[in-house]
Amino acid sequence: MSAVRFQPLRVAFTCADPSQAQMPVAELLAALPASPLLTYTDPEAADLRVEMLPDAIYHFYRREEEGALAAFRIPVKKPQALPRKLVRLLEHVAAFDNLLNLQPASDALSSVLEVEFLQLETPASGSTPAEVSPLPRDPQGQVQIQAGRNLAIALRNRALTPVHVYVTVFDERQCSVGLVYPYQPDFPARLRPSESVLVGSGPRYLLQMQLPEDAETTVDRFKIWVSSTGMQPGIMAMPPLGQRLEPPSEDPYGSGSRLDREVRLAILGKAGSTPMPAFAEDPWWCMEQAVKVVA
């Protein structure tokens, strides 16, 4: 039984002045390539509405949000290129949402990993360990950090067997995902029993928290994954929406671990034909932590 529980992203196209659109809505809908990540509906039922404007401009709106998620100008020399380009952008949004919402079907590993989000005071050096302090909280109790300060994430394996740990950060404004740990996709992410790691503690790798231009506050959503077997974590990284998203190939298996395959299912919308490993034999778990960044 898969842990992936996503519905295709429901998309609607609207156009206030059809005479100014690159392609009539009905013609565009008929030309859109089929995608397991997408389905098309009316504006009232849509998760994402695409407003078609003059000069080949397209605005993306989330449900019940007045501000646009993104705006793109998509000039094309050949009309058949427009549906392909739009589907790539829409699939990016769908894959981002699916990965952010992906949850395990079991809490078997929920007590394995000890996690603490901290503020880095002094980075580690070759001879001295890092110095950290607790993160302050806002009046609502949410952890926060000042822009320009460094975040550190303490991870400790409390299990009697090794586990694999990965840290990602989601930017909902840009629909981007950063791989925070391991520091490189092929870097070891295996923690032995009782082993600890302080992610972002320096001296080489620091997690400096930043604000978008002209913003006074933002929230970064960290997601920490723990698995009994290893995966290829680089597939979770996504650039900001609008930059070319290289899919993790059409390979639905990766390392073969359950987490790897279910992440790929969330991103690609399709799975391989062989059965998933039994969850009891290859469990994974994840947790989220929102960190508010303030000026």
Side-chain angles (χ1 to χ4, degrees):
M1 184 177 182
S2 172
V4 179
R5 295 287 181 272
F6 67 83
Q7 296 292 327
L9 183 71
R10 294 171 297 184
V11 180
F13 291 87
T14 60
C15 183
D17 185 355
S19 67
Q20 296 295 312
Q22 283 179 290
M23 185 182 292
V25 171
E27 186 178 329
L28 175 62
L29 286 170
L32 290 169
S35 170
L37 295 172
L38 306 170
T39 188
Y40 304 103
T41 183
D42 56 82
E44 290 74 22
D47 304 309
L48 189 79
R49 180 173 62 87
V50 179
E51 184 178 5
M52 304 167 65
L53 300 170
D55 299 320
I57 293 173
Y58 297 81
H59 286 184
F60 288 11
Y61 291 90
R62 293 278 196 188
R63 179 194 290 272
E64 298 179 355
E65 291 190 3
E66 295 183 0
L69 169 68
F72 299 101
R73 186 171 185 272
I74 313 178
V76 292
K77 293 181 179 179
K78 298 181 179 180
Q80 59 266 35
L82 176 63
R84 292 197 304 269
K85 291 186 176 184
L86 279 169
V87 163
R88 288 196 198 103
L89 292 168
L90 294 169
E91 285 184 328
H92 184 135
V93 177
F96 174 88
D97 289 354
N98 291 342
L99 189 57
L100 179 60
N101 295 324
L102 182 60
Q103 295 295 326
S106 165
D107 61 357
L109 295 183
S110 60
S111 61
V112 160
L113 196 65
E114 185 177 299
V115 181
E116 189 174 9
F117 280 72
L118 301 161
Q119 188 166 253
L120 184 67
E121 300 294 345
T122 306
S125 68
S127 57
T128 58
E131 294 182 6
V132 295
S133 64
L135 281 174
R137 293 181 179 269
D138 67 10
Q140 289 72 44
Q142 184 177 22
V143 294
Q144 64 179 26
I145 190 170
Q146 266 194 314
R149 296 295 301 267
N150 296 322
L151 185 72
I153 307 170
L155 307 172
R156 177 174 173 266
N157 178 14
R158 298 189 296 198
L160 299 177
T161 55
V163 294
H164 296 77
V165 181
Y166 313 96
V167 181
T168 50
V169 61
F170 290 74
D171 184 334
E172 293 180 278
R173 183 180 59 88
Q174 298 191 91
C175 288
S176 64
V177 184
L179 180 64
V180 176
Y181 184 82
Y183 302 121
Q184 298 171 353
D186 55 353
F187 201 80
R190 186 171 179 265
L191 288 185
R192 298 184 299 272
S194 300
E195 184 179 5
S196 299
V197 63
L198 187 60
V199 176
S201 61
R204 184 175 177 184
Y205 296 100
L206 299 172
L207 298 178
Q208 189 178 74
M209 307 302 287
Q210 299 288 355
L211 282 171
E213 188 175 353
D214 300 327
E216 294 185 358
T217 183
T218 191
V219 175
D220 286 338
R221 293 179 64 178
F222 288 83
K223 196 164 183 176
I224 297 176
W225 315 76
V226 55
S227 174
S228 61
T229 53
M231 69 171 295
Q232 297 172 353
I235 65 169
M236 294 191 282
M238 295 184 190
L241 181 62
Q243 294 184 19
R244 184 168 179 81
L245 174 61
E246 296 292 344
S249 79
E250 292 299 305
D251 173 21
Y253 300 105
S255 68
S257 77
R258 188 178 187 99
L259 175 58
D260 205 335
R261 292 177 63 177
E262 294 199 336
V263 164
R264 289 170 188 268
L265 175 55
I267 293 171
L268 296 172
K270 54 188 176 182
S273 58
T274 59
M276 288 280 189
F279 214 104
E281 298 170 3
D282 191 13
W284 65 270
W285 183 74
C286 63
M287 64 159 288
E288 290 185 30
Q289 175 66 62
V291 177
K292 185 178 180 181
V293 185
V294 296

